[in-house]
Amino acid sequence: MAALTVAFATLGISSAAGADVESAPSGDDERPISLTPVESVDGLRPQLTAEQLDYIIAAQESLAKVPGFGYVRYDRQTHAVAFGFAGHAPEKVQALAATAPDGLTASIEPADYTAKELQAGVDAVIAAPQYDGKITKAYTGRDGVHVVVDEESALRATGAAGVADAIERDVTQGVPVHVEFGSAPVQASRTAHAGPWAGGTSIYAGNYTCTTAFAALGAVGGIPAQPGILTAHHCTDPLPSGTIFRHNSIRSFGTAAIEAPLGPGGVRADASFVRTSDSGQGAVYIGDLTSNVGISTTGIVAMPAEGIPICYSGLLSAGDITIPSTPGQGATCDHIVEATYAVWDVGVGYYYGPGFLTHHANHNRSVGQGDSGGPAFIPVLDENDNVVAYAAGIISAISTNSDFTTCQGTTTPGRSCSDEVMAQAFSYVWETMPVSVVLN
């Protein structure tokens, strides 16, 4: 991909490169391999129970509409959650903080800005015509709006401080802006699989091999609850509705049915729904290309809170959990949510998002091209102490900063990886697409 020289990359991998990754079954090899969920996995150690994560999710959703709400922040070191509020938090918020489940502490802390103010700041920046094509990424932080300007832009002559002052004065009108210069984004399979489809399978879309996210149901042509699977929009664009996609570049997978529409402000969810003839399974793969090991998907998160640990399970992602698996392949965990309202520009004429930005705790370069469309999930313990997954989003793009280099795990010509990942959150998917995730 020529775009590899340019801070985020979409994560499809070209068909030529993808063909070198693994010896895929031939078209005559019709041995169906169905995913077999497992109850526990060495190395995949959830930090949260399902009850604790449900509490954080419910708190985030209910507080979002409360005047003064700033953020929800989870601290994995202290196993505590903080609710940030600008001004005095209402009594119902104080009551909520007092009802945290066992093992999790909750508190209220002052926020300098509300989430609404910060999100409006991001929207204003990407809508400002003078910055069109110059800003590669924008996201909210507790300290203001963060903007990454293309390092090749003429704005570099103004300097980061000068650009920040101009945006703060003319666009965000007082909300602090933090600017840095960086390169632009670029775009991001499990093999031998047959239905029922699950997250983490390979999907051959046009010139790219990508990964599927989660089994889903979609309303196609006015008919509700048709079986299918979600993947990234950039994996299916610009192929028309009805295009036949394949698994292993050979076996028929399904047909393009629903893509996220372009929304106000030029933002689009990086999500597409591919209709399949087989039903979907509420589970995701966590093993290597030939493994059928997976975990059940039992919940959904619209937008994960800051500090939440995320696992990704792209086709070629570097595995860091222990299962019967080819070393170096599989799900990669300990990616920590750094920002919860982010948009990114991969050079297609609009922004993807809003989604969330993560960094790997140990800076492992474990997600790269070929992983696009794959599942982002939060591992939790259910009431029986089994490891299950909460669907959190769809792998969309990776940073092309200094960590955008040789991949850990699977390597193939032309493929690069990063420790920084952008994932499409489900909040905007639900708003714009008639789809739902299949749970087990």
Side-chain angles (χ1 to χ4, degrees), residues 17-401:
D20 296 329
V21 171
E22 185 78 8
S23 298
S26 69
D28 295 329
D29 188 350
E30 292 297 328
R31 295 171 298 169
I33 299 179
S34 295
L35 183 149
T36 302
V38 296
E39 296 180 348
S40 62
V41 181
D42 291 340
L44 204 168
R45 303 180 184 88
Q47 298 177 19
L48 294 163
T49 66
E51 181 186 16
Q52 291 167 345
L53 183 57
D54 284 338
Y55 169 80
I56 295 173
I57 295 169
Q60 184 166 257
E61 292 177 350
S62 63
L63 296 180
K65 299 178 181 180
V66 177
F69 171 71
Y71 53 83
V72 174
R73 177 178 60 84
Y74 169 70
D75 188 323
R76 64 195 185 98
Q77 302 297 332
T78 61
H79 205 49
V81 61
F83 305 139
F85 268 81
H88 181 70
E91 289 186 7
K92 67 177 182 179
V93 179
Q94 300 177 36
L96 178 63
T99 61
D102 290 345
L104 183 71
T105 60
S107 63
I108 301 170
E109 61 186 29
D112 293 327
Y113 308 97
T114 67
K116 186 176 181 179
E117 289 172 330
L118 295 171
Q119 291 169 14
V122 169
D123 292 340
V125 170
I126 65 174
Q130 65 267 42
Y131 301 114
D132 184 33
K134 301 178 179 67
I135 293 175
T136 65
K137 179 180 65 174
Y139 59 92
T140 61
R142 280 173 279 158
D143 57 349
V145 173
H146 290 253
V147 175
V148 179
V149 178
D150 190 340
E151 61 188 1
E152 302 297 327
S153 170
L155 292 177
R156 174 172 277 283
T158 307
V163 176
D165 287 344
I167 296 176
E168 193 172 321
R169 180 187 66 245
D170 301 331
V171 181
T172 63
Q173 299 182 347
V175 175
V177 175
H178 308 273
V179 170
E180 63 180 281
F181 291 93
S183 52
V186 297
Q187 300 174 3
S189 332
R190 303 304 195 245
T191 60
H193 183 70
W197 301 102
T201 57
S202 68
I203 180 172
Y204 179 72
N207 294 324
Y208 295 107
T209 294
C210 283
T211 309
T212 62
F214 298 94
L217 298 174
V220 182
I223 303 174
Q226 295 191 56
I229 201 153
L230 290 167
T231 189
H233 173 267
H234 74 259
C235 289
T236 66
D237 182 63
L239 301 173
S241 177
T243 297
I244 297 176
F245 293 101
R246 308 210 174 263
H247 177 61
N248 287 333
S249 306
I250 300 170
R251 185 175 295 131
S252 178
F253 182 93
T255 56
I258 307 171
E259 69 171 13
L262 188 62
V267 177
R268 185 196 298 269
D270 194 6
S272 290
F273 175 80
V274 176
R275 179 171 48 184
T276 63
S277 57
D278 296 309
S279 60
Q281 186 173 1
V284 296
Y285 282 101
I286 57 173
D288 65 25
L289 286 165
T290 60
S291 171
N292 67 344
V293 174
I295 58 176
S296 297
T297 305
T298 63
I300 306 171
V301 179
M303 177 74 80
E306 178 188 342
I308 292 290
I310 299 290
C311 291
Y312 296 112
S313 190
L315 172 67
L316 306 177
S317 56
D320 52 18
I321 59 178
T322 304
I323 58 175
S325 170
T326 301
Q329 294 178 344
T332 172
C333 297
D334 288 332
H335 295 260
I336 310 304
V337 176
E338 182 175 280
T340 59
Y341 186 84
V343 295
W344 50 100
D345 181 358
V346 293
V348 292
Y350 45 80
Y351 288 88
Y352 279 127
F356 53 95
L357 163 68
T358 68
H359 276 93
H360 194 280
N362 297 318
H363 302 289
N364 293 344
R365 300 180 302 277
S366 50
V367 176
Q369 287 138 326
D371 297 330
S372 261
F377 65 93
I378 304 170
V380 299
L381 293 174
D382 66 11
E383 64 276 10
N384 298 315
D385 287 336
N386 295 323
V387 180
V388 296
Y390 272 48
I394 300 170
I395 298 173
S396 174
I398 56 174
S399 172
T400 54
N401 58 18

